[in-house]
C-alpha cells in the first residue's frame, strides 16, 4: 500500500513529559504507517528551550507563520518548583503558548470532543460549544492600587502629541481599591477577525457578548469593532448560511445554557477564562478538549487543551503503563493534517484525518477507553478501561 504524500510540511512542535511520550506513540502507530509525513520539527521540550535560550519557540512560531499550519505537544511552563526539579535551567522561561500566541497575534478556540456515552451536565447540549477567548488586556494587564485616606482618583491619558485627557474616577471618603485596565483597537480587531475567520472555516454561528449597556465606551468599543469587521464577512456568512449574533453577556450566558450547542462563543478575556472552565467541565473532561490558535490572517496551530500530565509521567518513568487519554492529542494531529490537506488541495490527506477521528470514535463506541473516560461514562454503556498503548493499538487496527 502506498503512503499518502504531502506537499507542504507541517510545523511540528514537540513537548514534555507524558504528552511527549504519547506524541511519539501517535506518530509511530497512527500516522507514519499511512502518511509520508513531512514536518519541520522543533523540539519545544523544556531542556531544548533552555539550551536554545528559548529561540526554538520563536523559530517555531515563525515557521507556523511561514507554512500556515502547526501541531503542538503540551509543554512545561516553568515555575519555582520546576526550577528546582530541573537545576540546569538558566531562566524561568516564559510559557511557549504565550510566546506563540503573541507572535501569531492569534485567538485560541477550544472545542470539546463529545461522545454519546459521556453526557454533558447540561441536558440540552447536543453539539459542542467552542469558546474563543480574547487573550489580551483587560484585568490581565491591569494596574491596581489600594488607598487609605479620603481623596479622589483621576485617570489621565498623555498623548504623544502632548495633548492630555483626564477624567475623575471617583471621590472617596475612606479606604478604597482601584483598577486601571485597557485594551487596544488593534488587538480587539485581530480577535474579531480570527473569530469571523474560524466561524466561516467551521461553518458555525458566532456569538459575542459584552456589557455595552453599562460600559458604553469600553465594551461599546468591542461591539463596534466586531460590527465593523463583520462587514467584510457579511456576504460569506450569508452564503454559508451562518450568523453573527451579538447580545449582552448575561443574556448570552442564559442562552448558552438553554441552547443545543453547535456554535462559537467569543468571549472577552475574563469571561473566556471563567466560561471556558465552566463549559469544559460541563462537557466532561479536559482530556477531551482540543484547542486551536487562529491568527487574523488564517494561520493555524493545533494542540490538546490539557498539559503534560506530570503525575502520569512519573508513574510511567517507574515502569507503569498509564491510562492517559491520547484523544485530544490525536485530534490535534488530525486537525492539522486535515487543514494541511484542505490548504494544499489534497483530499486524500483530509480524508485520512477524518478516518483517524472516526477510528477513535469507533474505538470509544466499542467500549474501549482510557480510565478518565470510563469514570465519566453514563451507566448502561459498555466500558473496558485500558492503558494508552492498548487504546492506540485498537485505534491503529481500525484505521
Ligand atoms: P495537566 O497536565 O492537564 O494534568 C492535570 C490532571 O488532569 C492530570 O493529573 C490528570 O488527572 C488529568 N488529565 C489531564 N490530561 C489528561 C489526559 N490526557 N488523560 C488523562 N488525564 C488527564 O495539568 P497540570 O498537571 O496542571 O500541568 C502539568 C504541566 O503541564 C505543567 O508544567 C504546565 O505548565 C503544563 N501545561 C501545559 C499546557 C500546554 O502546553 N498547552 C497546558 C496546561 C498545562 P489525574 O492525575 O487525576 O489522572
Ligand atoms: Mg480559567
Amino acid at each position: 500500500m502506498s503512503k499518502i504524500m504531502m506537499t507542504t510540511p507541517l510545523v511540528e512542535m514537540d513537548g514534555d513529559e507524558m504528552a511527549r511520550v504519547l506524541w511519539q506513540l501517535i506518530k509511530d502507530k497512527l500516522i507514519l504507517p499511512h502518511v509520508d509525513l513531512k514536518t519541520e520539527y522543533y523540539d519545544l521540550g523544556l531542556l531544548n528551550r533552555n539550551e536554545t535560550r528559548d529561540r526554538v519557540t520563536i523559530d517555531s512560531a515563525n515557521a507556523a507563520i511561514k507554512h500556515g499550519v502547526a501541531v503542538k505537544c503540551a509543554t512545561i511552563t516553568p515555575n519555582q518548583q520546576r526550577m528546582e526539579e530541573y537545576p540546569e535551567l538558566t531562566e524561568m522561561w516564559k510559557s511557549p503558548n504565550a510566546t506563540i500566541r503573541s507572535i501569531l497575534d492569534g485567538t485560541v478556540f477550544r472545542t470539546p470532543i463529545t461522545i454519546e456515552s459521556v453526557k454533558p451536565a447540561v441536558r440540552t447540549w447536543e453539539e459542542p460549544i467552542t469558546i474563543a477567548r480574547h487573550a489580551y488586556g483587560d484585568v490581565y494587564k491591569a494596574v491596581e492600587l489600594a488607598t487609605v485616606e479620603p481623596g479622589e482618583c483621576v485617570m489621565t491619558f498623555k498623548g504623544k502629541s502632548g495633548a492630555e485627557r483626564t477624567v475623575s474616577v471617583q471621590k472617596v471618603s475612606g479606604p478604597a481599591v482601584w483598577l486601571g485596565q485597557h485594551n487596544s483597537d488593534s488587538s480587539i480587531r485581530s480577535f474579531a477577525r480570527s473569530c469571523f475567520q474560524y466561524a466561516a472555516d467551521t461553518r458555525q454561528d458566532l456569538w459575542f457578548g459584552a456589557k455595552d449597556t453599562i460600559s458604553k465606551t469600553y465594551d461599546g468599543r468591542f461591539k463596534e469593532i466586531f460590527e465593523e469587521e463583520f462587514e467584510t464577512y457579511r456576504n460569506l456568512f450569508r452564503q454559508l448560511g451562518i450568523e453573527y449574533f451579538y447580545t449582552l453577556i448575561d443574556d448570552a450566558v442564559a442562552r448558552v445554557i438553554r441552547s443545543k450547542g453547535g456554535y462559537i462563543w467569543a468571549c472577552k478575556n475574563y469571561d473566556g477564562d471563567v466560561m471556558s472552565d465552566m463549559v469544559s467541565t460541563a462537557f466532561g473532561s479536559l482530556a477531551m478538549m482540543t484547542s486551536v490558535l487562529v491568527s487574523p490572517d488564517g494561520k493555524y496551530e493545533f494542540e490538546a487543551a490539557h498539559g503534560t500530565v506530570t503525575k502520569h509521567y512519573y508513574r510511567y518513568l517507574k515502569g507503569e503503563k498509564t491510562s492517559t487519554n491520547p484523544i485530544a492529542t490525536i485530534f490535534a494531529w488530525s486537525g492539522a493534517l486535515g487543514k494541511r490537506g484542505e490548504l494544499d488541495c489534497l483530499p486524500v490527506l483530509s480524508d485520512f484525518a477524518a478516518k483517524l477521528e472516526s477510528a477513535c470514535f469507533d474505538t470509544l463506541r466499542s467500549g474501549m477507553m482510557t480510565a478518565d473516560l470510563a469514570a465519566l461514562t453514563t451507566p448502561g454503556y459498555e466500558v473496558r478501561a485500558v492503558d494508552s498503548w492498548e487504546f492506540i493499538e485498537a485505534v491503529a487496527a481500525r484505521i
Side-chain angles (χ1 to χ4, degrees), residues 173-193:
S173 53
V177 284
W178 311 89
L179 169 79
Q181 69 176 44
H182 85 289
N183 224 299
S184 72
D185 278 19
S186 75
S187 174
I188 302 168
R189 207 171 289 286
S190 293
F191 174 50
R193 280 186 196 153

Side-chain angles (χ1 to χ4, degrees), residues 109-113 128-131 198 204 288-292:
F109 296 81
R110 283 179 152 207
T111 309
I113 302 157
I129 296 168
T130 297
I131 294 221
Y198 193 66
Q204 295 183 89
M288 292 289 276
M289 184 74 74
T290 57
S291 178
V292 52

Side-chain angles (χ1 to χ4, degrees), residues 31-93:
I31 299 169
L32 290 172
H34 310 285
V35 180
D36 189 28
L37 189 65
K38 256 194 182 176
T39 72
E40 202 169 293
Y41 180 85
Y42 293 87
D43 183 1
L44 265 52
L46 182 57
L47 294 179
N48 194 47
R49 273 181 276 145
N50 189 57
E51 199 100 321
T52 61
R53 304 199 56 74
D54 212 21
R55 186 72 231 170
V56 66
T57 307
I58 296 164
D59 290 346
S60 73
N62 287 325
I65 291 177
K66 179 176 165 206
H67 295 299
V69 186
V71 56
K72 181 181 171 289
C73 178
T75 45
I76 292 171
T77 298
N79 54 15
Q80 199 45 50
Q81 193 197 332
R82 296 292 196 176
M83 298 301 284
E84 287 153 29
E85 186 181 348
Y86 295 91
E88 58 271 61
L89 293 187
T90 53
E91 251 177 71
M92 206 189 285
W93 303 107

Side-chain angles (χ1 to χ4, degrees), residues 315-342:
R315 299 210 310 263
Y316 165 79
L317 288 181
K318 285 188 191 147
E320 186 184 328
K321 287 211 157 172
T322 61
S323 187
T324 316
N325 192 337
I327 291 201
T329 306
I330 298 174
F331 276 59
W333 275 100
S334 60
L337 290 168
K339 181 50 86 178
R340 193 69 275 166
E342 185 191 315

